[in-house]
Amino acid sequence: MALAPSSDQLTIDASEGRRSRRGGGKPAGRAFARSPIGYVFVSPYALLAIVFGIVPSLYAVLLAFTNADGGFAGFDNFTKVIDDFRFWPAVFHVTIYLVIWLLGLVVFVVGLALMVHAIGVRWVSTTLRFVYYLPGALAGASSVLLWLFVLDPTASPVSGLLGAMGFDSFVQVIQPGNLPAIFAIIAFWTGAGGWIIIMYGALNNISTEVIEAARIDGANAVQIALRIQLPMLRKWVAYMGVMSLAAGTQLFVEPQLLSQASNAVVPNDYSLNQLAYQYAFQQNDFNGAAAISLILLVVALLLSWVFVTRGGLFEKE
């Protein structure tokens, strides 16, 4: 006696029939990726990447290994800039700034994103995300100009706080020892809001079933954040680290504007990008400037590789 097919078997047969009608069971997304329209969407980015990314990089490599007459110079340009008395102080300044900024991003961005995500009231979380994002609407130079007033105790809206910290004048605030923390605060204030929104979106992608299962097992909000949400955010944190590292090594606008506003209290060769600028446009040594740029590129790539491997950015689930 034949048995009637079960509902599960009917579902399997129906899905196999749909796959066969689409053409051999191949995913529709793969067919779309091979269609010409995909290349149309990618081509503007690829063109801009070649013109403004790959070609200038190759030209910088050419300049770094040649002299002013166009002859091959080997590593002479690299030796020259490394032996410059301004090079290692600039490396130290950028390193301290990056450590403060990256640690602040990881701790505060992830913490604020978890806090906003934990708020159950929709309009409250939406308002907070909007407020966090607002500072990012200001361009880099505009943001620094705004901070010139914030850092001046005579005009700052937080003059009481600056006075309590022992600062009575703008020059005292922007002493070189304070600059890494100041630049990290400016960068965080400008860019953290966008990363909070990205982390919030990543938290929304975590299955609610996993969260509910943890709650049924007796996990509280802190345990869920530390043992479930944070591990699942690992790739996003690595992505934030790579992008922030690339931006941080290019520190230029903030010290350059502060140098002009403070009548050289902040040196005009504070960062590596400023030093490269000095080589190119003050000393007319574009080969030395290209050598500094390549050093920055290699260091940034190596540190990014650490973030990618440790964060499992390209690991498959």
Side-chain angles (χ1 to χ4, degrees):
M1 180 177 177
L3 296 176
S6 64
S7 58
D8 291 341
Q9 184 63 40
L10 290 174
T11 303
I12 294 172
D13 293 342
S15 62
E16 289 178 351
R18 285 193 297 269
R19 284 198 297 268
S20 64
R21 286 194 297 272
R22 282 203 300 262
K26 295 181 180 180
R30 185 177 301 176
F32 173 78
R34 293 179 178 177
S35 65
I37 193 65
Y39 296 101
V40 173
F41 283 123
V42 172
S43 57
Y45 171 79
L47 178 62
L48 291 174
I50 292 172
V51 174
F52 296 104
I54 297 176
V55 172
S57 298
L58 294 177
Y59 183 58
V61 172
L62 176 64
L63 286 177
F65 288 97
T66 55
N67 54 34
D69 298 326
F72 181 70
F75 291 94
D76 291 346
N77 291 316
F78 297 92
T79 304
K80 173 179 60 181
V81 298
I82 291 175
D83 290 339
D84 192 318
F85 70 95
R86 300 167 294 180
F87 179 80
W88 289 109
V91 171
F92 177 76
H93 297 154
V94 174
T95 301
I96 297 299
Y97 159 71
L98 282 175
V99 170
I100 296 174
W101 185 32
L102 292 177
L103 287 177
L105 277 179
V106 172
V107 174
F108 291 106
V109 165
V110 176
L112 290 172
L114 289 170
M115 183 191 71
V116 174
H117 188 266
I119 297 174
V121 183
R122 182 179 178 83
W123 70 268
V124 175
S125 62
T126 303
T127 303
L128 284 175
R129 278 179 283 152
F130 176 73
V131 171
Y132 289 146
Y133 184 73
L134 274 179
L138 291 175
S142 302
S143 177
V144 177
L145 291 175
L146 175 62
W147 275 89
L148 291 179
F149 292 97
V150 175
L151 297 173
D152 188 352
T154 62
S156 174
V158 293
S159 57
L161 177 61
L162 294 174
M165 297 173 64
F167 299 123
D168 299 323
S169 66
F170 180 66
V171 173
Q172 287 181 335
V173 175
I174 61 170
Q175 288 299 310
N178 302 330
L179 291 178
I182 290 174
F183 293 148
I185 292 172
I186 295 174
F188 182 87
W189 183 80
T190 304
W195 287 115
I196 291 173
I197 293 175
I198 291 174
M199 293 296 170
Y200 180 87
L203 287 169
N204 283 337
N205 286 331
I206 298 176
S207 173
T208 56
E209 296 177 356
V210 175
I211 304 297
E212 290 300 326
R215 288 174 180 162
I216 292 173
D217 289 338
N220 56 36
V222 176
Q223 291 172 327
I224 290 174
L226 294 177
R227 299 184 180 182
I228 296 177
Q229 291 175 316
L230 282 180
M232 290 186 173
L233 284 178
R234 185 169 61 110
K235 292 184 178 181
W236 292 98
V237 173
Y239 173 69
M240 179 177 67
V242 170
M243 300 302 293
S244 300
L245 179 67
T249 53
Q250 301 175 45
L251 180 67
F252 179 81
V253 174
E254 292 85 351
Q256 188 73 9
L257 289 181
L258 280 181
S259 177
Q260 296 174 3
S262 64
N263 294 323
V265 173
V266 178
N268 58 8
D269 51 13
Y270 181 85
S271 71
L272 288 170
N273 256 6
Q274 283 183 290
L275 183 58
Y277 180 85
Q278 293 294 319
Y279 265 92
F281 300 105
Q282 298 297 325
Q283 301 172 207
N284 199 30
D285 185 354
F286 289 94
N287 305 94
I292 296 175
S293 300
L294 279 189
I295 292 172
L296 274 174
L297 176 62
V298 171
V299 171
L301 287 176
L302 290 175
L303 293 176
S304 298
W305 177 80
V306 173
F307 276 100
V308 169
T309 54
R310 299 295 297 176
L313 197 57
F314 298 117
E315 292 180 0
K316 295 182 179 180
E317 298 293 342

